[in-house]
Amino acid sequence: MAAGIDDITIYIPRLYIDAADFAKARGLDPEKLQKGLGVSQMAIVDTNQDPACLAANACLQIMQKNKLSPEDIGRLYVSTESSFDESKAMNSYVIGMLEQVYGQGAFEHCGGVETKFACVSGSYALYDNTNWIRAGEAEGKHALVVVSDIAKYDMGSSGEMTQGAGAVVMLLNDEPRLLAFDPKVTATSIKDEYDFYRPFGKETPIVHGQYSNLLYMIQVRKALEIYKKKALASGLMKLEPGETILDHMDYLNMHLPYSNMGKKALAYLVRHEWRQLPRWKKIIQEMGIPEPVPKDPRGTIESVLGDEEFMAKDHEFTKLFTKTREFQEVYEAKLASSLIASKMIGNLYTASLYLGFRSCLEFEYQKGIDLNGKRIGFGSYGSGSSAMVFSGTIQPQYEEIVKNMNLEAELAPRRKLTLQEYEILHENKLSPEESMLHTKREFVLVDVNTTVESRGERRYIFNE
Ligand code: COA
């Protein structure tokens, strides 16, 4: 049975900070953000928004767009790493908000949980719900998987350049108009790590950014190796001599903590895949330098990072490699369109990969490419750490959805924050009723209870 993504909708907060303003305030070269990281704007939440609001707004949009009633929804999952309760799942807040519009008890029949594993949990939620559909348990109902996050880092930290906020919701069913997941190829890797984590009670994460970047690439590559075995064993792909698995993916959508990380990850995977192929010899000849080899052949993250000489040479090699015509062709054809939205919005943690997917569809379609039957490979990563590699094929009815995508129109009207306003918001100095914007027809947070007996209870309204 086919199962996959029928429709996708985004909800992005209307406030943002501009990378150039931010760089100026922090004494950084704006080029570091714009060219080095690929960050132009970062979406910021208002005082009356939390990740549950973002998720509920995205859900309402997709339901209204598709004229769905709560009866049509069998499962509602929320994946996030911006959770504000250790026990109550975020999907229950979302259901509470949706019931303000659809009537109390309207979603009573619906199941679901909040899932957590840093930025990868949305991919696990998609996989589990796809299998719920494949197993015939859905009985004609749809699943909603919402990925919603606020990427907030300590003021003055290097992570502060890679913030953002927003939610992406995907409607799953057995007749998906957008993308059917390829069966029996989903591959995972997992390892106990401390590259990025957020201990109880702390609003911002503890991040070892460079370590995390490298771990992301290593873990995704491990998952890709497993994917490769499964894709060949299941007959999904057949490699001719001189081919790699990546030649059989028309697009690659990667986890994007910032847009240039997608390019780094692509370069890493491509290098490893091409190394054994005749084309690699030609590229090395053209580049005129040998590919560096780490002193320790085990290639563990500790040994690689400890080998400073190798790291420096490898960095240089990667920079040169990404400038080769061969890499540029792969980059432009398979990845570049997926990075556009990330540059304008920033890091969405769990939602970053799916914002990239949405961006890929819109901007590839705008090139006039017929997307029917194209295969998208997904490289999902969550710190802590786990990676998931899977794929899907764009379906014949995709145009019905993609032709109406218009990122710029959906983001508008946006309001640029001054750095002073941004810092006030960052330090949580204002209450929900002191919001910067007064939005209409959206769910907003009204207050968070501070009494002993009801501490933490949140109240939301739908702003008519
Ligand atoms: N002009 C152009 N490019 C510049 C530049 C300038 N003036 N200054 C630096 N750059 C480039 C660097 O060469 C580097 O490019 P490269 O990655 O191709 O080498 C890039 O900008 C970033 O610079 P770097 O010095 O590596 O940045 P940093 O160490 O200060 O911080 C992160 C970068 C990403 C590590 C940091 O922002 C971070 O930790 N973010 C959070 C990441 C995250 O959330 N990870 C979690 C899970 S995946």
Side-chain angles (χ1 to χ4, degrees):
M1 182 191 283
I5 303 173
D6 184 66
D7 198 0
I8 181 168
T9 297
I10 57 173
Y11 176 84
I12 307 297
R14 309 258 172 243
L15 300 175
Y16 74 95
I17 42 172
D18 187 79
D21 296 349
F22 176 83
K24 195 167 159 217
R26 294 286 175 270
L28 296 166
D29 180 354
E31 296 278 288
K32 175 168 179 176
L33 276 83
Q34 281 155 355
K35 294 228 168 82
L37 297 166
V39 175
S40 299
Q41 285 120 21
M42 294 182 265
I44 303 290
V45 280
D46 209 335
T47 58
N48 59 357
Q49 293 183 308
D50 66 11
C53 287
L54 308 182
N57 285 321
C59 285
L60 184 64
Q61 275 182 38
I62 208 166
M63 287 186 66
Q64 290 181 334
K65 180 180 166 211
N66 289 283
K67 298 189 173 52
L68 294 170
S69 74
E71 267 309 310
D72 299 316
I73 310 297
R75 280 180 153 204
L76 196 157
Y77 271 49
V78 179
S79 303
T80 186
E81 56 177 303
S82 315
S83 200
F84 42 72
D85 194 285
E86 318 295 4
S87 171
K88 186 173 155 72
M90 200 178 286
N91 56 333
S92 71
Y93 297 86
V94 172
I95 286 200
M97 279 183 254
L98 291 174
E99 288 191 348
Q100 289 187 31
V101 173
Y102 290 102
Q104 211 177 356
F107 283 85
E108 215 166 44
H109 60 280
C110 189
V113 290
E114 173 190 316
T115 69
K116 174 172 74 181
F117 202 137
C119 304
V120 75
S121 65
S123 303
Y124 280 95
L126 275 183
Y127 182 55
D128 291 354
N129 280 286
T130 300
N131 287 330
W132 173 69
I133 295 165
R134 284 175 178 149
E137 297 274 340
E139 296 171 334
K141 292 196 193 304
H142 309 253
L144 285 175
V145 172
V146 204
V147 276
S148 180
D149 267 308
I150 298 171
K152 179 171 180 176
Y153 293 83
D154 286 336
M155 205 124 74
S157 70
S158 70
E160 198 192 6
M161 304 176 280
T162 60
Q163 299 185 112
V168 177
V169 59
M170 286 160 282
L171 182 70
L172 307 187
N173 62 31
D174 59 3
E175 287 183 331
R177 286 170 293 172
L178 267 185
L179 182 103
F181 288 117
D182 292 324
K184 301 191 167 133
V185 288
T186 297
T188 53
S189 69
I190 196 160
K191 189 169 181 245
D192 179 12
E193 283 282 0
Y194 273 104
D195 55 324
F196 171 113
Y197 60 104
R198 188 166 68 85
F200 281 163
K202 195 170 181 312
E203 196 192 20
T204 50
I206 296 171
V207 196
H208 306 294
Q210 302 293 2
Y211 184 85
S212 188
N213 284 353
L214 183 58
L215 193 61
Y216 160 4
M217 296 188 285
I218 292 174
Q219 292 297 95
V220 171
R221 186 182 158 217
K222 281 187 182 157
L224 183 68
E225 286 299 321
I226 300 167
Y227 172 93
K228 196 188 304 185
K229 286 198 184 98
K230 288 185 162 196
L232 297 177
S234 68
L236 182 75
M237 290 176 191
K238 195 170 167 291
L239 295 187
E240 298 297 336
E243 278 187 347
T244 144
I245 204 93
L246 300 180
D247 299 330
H248 291 258
M249 291 178 177
D250 300 292
Y251 297 106
L252 272 153
N253 289 176
M254 304 301 298
H255 168 50
L256 301 174
Y258 51 95
S259 78
N260 279 8
M261 188 59 213
K263 191 175 187 179
K264 275 165 96 90
L266 179 72
Y268 184 88
L269 296 178
V270 165
R271 271 177 67 185
H272 286 289
E273 287 299 310
W274 286 4
R275 193 171 287 135
Q276 307 308 329
L277 306 180
R279 68 182 94 161
W280 190 240
K281 282 200 188 84
K282 199 169 144 258
I283 292 169
I284 293 288
Q285 260 171 12
E286 280 166 15
M287 285 172 65
I289 56 166
E291 187 177 17
V293 182
K295 285 191 197 91
D296 185 335
R298 286 174 306 153
T300 61
I301 186 157
E302 293 79 10
S303 68
V304 171
L305 278 174
D307 192 343
E308 282 178 24
E309 192 189 333
F310 166 76
M311 287 298 287
K313 281 188 178 162
D314 199 63
H315 188 248
E316 211 43 49
F317 182 89
T318 305
K319 286 242 172 220
L320 258 185
F321 173 59
T322 54
K323 292 196 174 81
T324 61
R325 185 183 49 80
E326 290 82 352
F327 178 78
Q328 279 297 323
E329 275 174 16
V330 174
Y331 169 74
E332 287 299 334
K334 296 185 197 263
L335 184 83
S337 290
S338 71
L339 308 183
I340 297 170
S342 169
K343 288 184 213 280
M344 297 158 74
I345 296 166
N347 191 359
L348 304 188
Y349 288 160
T350 51
S352 302
L353 173 61
Y354 300 101
L355 182 70
F357 167 56
R358 161 58 228 254
S359 181
C360 169
L361 293 173
E362 177 174 340
F363 295 107
E364 284 300 295
Y365 181 71
Q366 277 183 16
K367 287 184 189 167
I369 294 174
D370 180 8
L371 299 177
N372 185 16
K374 301 272 188 220
R375 172 159 292 121
I376 302 190
F378 294 84
S380 189
Y381 174 70
S383 294
S385 72
S386 177
M388 188 182 261
V389 171
F390 51 100
S391 59
T393 312
I394 300 184
Q395 297 298 289
Q397 283 172 286
Y398 79 92
E399 212 170 346
E400 226 178 274
I401 311 284
V402 178
K403 69 172 194 262
N404 296 320
M405 288 180 172
N406 185 339
L407 185 66
E408 228 160 274
E410 284 171 55
L411 287 179
R414 292 177 105 186
R415 193 188 133 193
K416 187 167 103 160
L417 292 167
T418 64
L419 250 289
Q420 195 189 9
E421 286 172 325
Y422 154 70
E423 288 184 2
I424 288 170
L425 288 174
H426 193 285
E427 288 171 3
N428 305 322
K429 284 187 174 155
L430 301 175
S431 64
E433 73 248 23
E434 296 171 288
S435 63
M436 305 254 168
L437 296 175
H438 300 283
T439 52
K440 288 265 176 277
R441 304 201 59 74
E442 287 189 2
F443 295 108
V444 288
L445 176 69
V446 180
D447 80 329
V448 184
N449 198 311
T450 50
T451 63
V452 176
E453 65 277 13
S454 303
R455 190 179 145 205
E457 265 187 32
R458 286 175 182 240
R459 207 159 56 82
Y460 301 92
I461 56 159
F462 185 63
N463 255 344
E464 288 292 353

